[in-house]
Amino acid sequence: MSVSAQRISTTVSLNDGRVRVGLQVGRWLTHGSFPYAWLVLILAAVGIPLVSGDYWLNAILIPFLILSLAGLGLNLLTGYAGQTSLGSGGFMAVGAFATYAFLIHFQLSFLLAIFLGGAVAALVGLFFGLPSAKIKGFYLMVTSLAAQFFLEWVFVKFPWFYNYSSSATLSSPPMTVLGWDIASPVSKYYLVLLLVAFLTWIAVNLTRSQAGRNWMAIRDMDTAAAVIGIRVHRSKILAFAISSFYLGIAGALWVFAYLGSAGVQSFGLQRSFQILFIIIIGGLGSISGNFIGAAFISLLPLLLDYIAHTFFAGMVDAGLLQNLQKVIFGSLIVWFLIKEPEGIARFISHLRGRLSVWPLRF
C-alpha cells in the first residue's frame, strides 16, 4: 500500500491542502511496521512502568504479554503452517515443569533453565507432531487433544516433576538473571517484556525465511508444496517443534513470572482454548494479531467488569451480573467473528488501507 500511496502523491496535482494531508497520513500509516514496533517497544519499556502501579503490572500487563507469546507460538503452527492443535496448554505445562526441574534438580540459572524448558517442550511437540505425516485437519486436532490429556496425566502421576510437593504444585524459587534479582513486579515485567520482544523478533524473521515460506505453501496446498519440492513432513514437524518451544517458554513465564505457584490445572484444556481464541480473534497468520487477540481476551472482561460495577452495582445480583458479563463477552466474540472472520488484525489493515487514500476515497 505504501507503493500505491507514493504513486498517487507524485501524480496528482496537490492544489488542495486536504488532499496533501490525506495522502501524507496514508503514507505515514502504511510505510512499514518497523518504526512503529520500535515506538511501541520504547513506550512499553519506558512509559508504561512510569504510569502503571504494581496491580497493573502483575494482574494485567504481565499475563497479557505471556498470553501474546503463547498465541505467537500457536499461530506459527496454525496460522502459518496450517496445522491445527488443541494441545497448547499441555506444551505450556511441559515448559513450566521442565524449567522447574532444571532449577530444582540441576541448579541451573533461571535464564538457561527457561530456554532448556522450551527446548524440552520443542522435543515433546516434535514427537506429537509425527502423526501430521499421515493425518491432518480435524483428525490431527484430535491427536493434539490426546496429547493435552496425556501430558496432564503425566504431570499428575509422577511427583518428581513437582519435587514431591504435598500440594502437587510448582513454587517459584528466588530468581536472578545476570545478578539482577527478579522479585519485584517491575523486574518481572521487564524480564517478560525482553523475552517476548526477542522471541517476537525471531518469529518475524522466521516467517520471512525459507522455513516460513514453506509453511505458508503447505498451509495453502500441501500437495502443490510437495510438487515444487518442499519436504512437507519435515516442515510440519519443524513447525510443531518451534511452536512448542514458544509455548513452553510461555508456560514457564506463566508460573515463575506471573502466578508464582501453580499446578497442572493451570494448563488444562481451557488454557488451550484460550490460546486458540486469541489467534482466531487477533488474526491467523499475523504476528500483531497475537497481541491484539491477547489484549481482547485480557482487557475486554476487565472493561465489562468495570462497567458492570460502576453502573449496575447494587441494582443487579452479583452472581447474575457475572454471568451477564460472560454472555456479553461471548456475544461480542461471535458478533466480531461474523463481521470480520479474519481477525482484528485484518480489520485494522483494511482500515489502514482506506485511510491511505482518504479523502479521495474511503
Side-chain angles (χ1 to χ4, degrees):
M1 294 303 298
S2 60
V3 174
S4 175
Q6 178 71 29
R7 185 181 299 120
I8 292 172
S9 66
T10 55
T11 56
V12 177
S13 177
L14 301 177
N15 295 324
D16 188 341
R18 291 190 307 163
V19 176
R20 182 187 296 275
V21 171
L23 292 173
Q24 292 300 324
V25 168
R27 291 172 61 187
W28 181 78
L29 288 173
T30 56
H31 187 63
S33 57
F34 187 75
Y36 310 125
W38 274 109
L39 182 63
V40 171
L41 185 59
I42 293 172
L43 179 65
V46 179
I48 288 180
L50 292 177
V51 299
S52 301
D54 288 350
Y55 171 77
W56 270 86
L57 292 176
N58 263 332
I60 297 174
L61 294 173
I62 289 176
F64 157 70
L65 288 172
I66 298 173
L67 289 175
S68 301
L69 181 63
L72 179 58
L74 182 60
N75 217 336
L76 290 176
L77 178 67
T78 303
Y80 285 93
Q83 308 302 301
T84 53
S85 173
L86 279 178
S88 304
F91 297 127
M92 289 178 72
V94 172
F97 279 87
T99 300
Y100 186 70
F102 285 123
L103 287 172
I104 299 300
H105 299 298
F106 300 97
Q107 306 293 322
L108 298 182
S109 66
F110 178 72
L111 206 55
L112 179 58
I114 200 169
F115 277 101
L116 287 177
V120 172
L123 290 175
V124 175
L126 186 150
F127 175 77
F128 283 105
L130 292 177
S132 63
K134 299 294 182 182
I135 56 178
K136 58 184 178 181
F138 177 77
Y139 301 99
L140 182 61
M141 186 175 64
V142 172
T143 62
S144 67
L145 190 61
Q148 169 75 40
F149 293 141
F150 174 76
L151 292 171
E152 285 187 45
W153 174 81
V154 166
F155 293 125
V156 171
K157 184 69 176 178
F158 299 100
W160 181 84
F161 287 108
Y162 46 86
N163 199 26
Y164 302 96
S165 168
S166 58
S167 59
T169 58
L170 308 179
S171 296
S172 177
M175 298 180 297
T176 57
V177 175
L178 304 175
W180 177 30
D181 186 25
I182 309 297
S184 67
V186 174
S187 60
K188 290 180 180 178
Y189 170 75
Y190 276 121
L191 172 67
V192 174
L193 179 64
L194 286 173
L195 285 175
V196 171
F198 174 69
L199 292 172
T200 301
W201 176 73
I202 295 289
V204 169
N205 287 282
L206 186 62
T207 56
R208 295 172 178 173
S209 69
Q210 184 62 48
R213 290 191 288 272
N214 290 347
W215 289 345
M216 287 181 271
I218 294 169
R219 175 196 62 191
D220 294 339
M221 186 177 287
D222 54 357
T223 304
V227 169
I228 63 174
I230 294 175
R231 301 176 70 176
V232 174
H233 187 209
R234 181 178 175 180
S235 296
K236 287 181 178 178
I237 290 180
L238 179 64
F240 269 97
I242 294 177
S243 168
S244 301
F245 176 80
Y246 275 74
L247 288 165
I249 289 184
L253 291 174
W254 191 258
V255 174
F256 301 111
Y258 173 45
L259 296 177
S261 177
V264 72
Q265 298 81 6
S266 298
F267 303 105
L269 186 59
Q270 186 178 1
R271 185 72 59 209
S272 297
F273 278 115
Q274 184 184 35
I275 306 303
L276 183 63
F277 290 155
I278 284 174
I279 66 170
I280 291 175
I281 294 171
L284 290 169
S286 166
I287 296 294
S288 61
N290 305 300
F291 295 88
I292 296 170
F296 187 93
I297 292 290
S298 304
L299 300 181
L300 186 59
L302 295 176
L303 177 63
L304 292 175
D305 184 68
Y306 173 78
I307 293 174
H309 286 87
T310 302
F311 297 102
F312 301 101
M315 301 170 59
V316 183
D317 180 72
L320 178 61
L321 198 60
Q322 191 173 13
N323 289 327
L324 284 174
Q325 290 177 45
K326 294 178 181 177
V327 171
I328 294 171
F329 181 61
S331 302
L332 283 174
I333 291 176
V334 172
W335 175 82
F336 191 84
L337 290 179
I338 291 174
K339 298 295 289 184
E340 187 53 80
E342 296 186 58
I344 301 176
R346 180 57 62 92
F347 171 77
I348 294 175
S349 177
H350 288 164
L351 181 62
R352 198 168 60 175
R354 291 185 175 187
L355 285 174
S356 69
V357 294
W358 182 86
L360 298 177
R361 182 185 177 189
F362 188 78

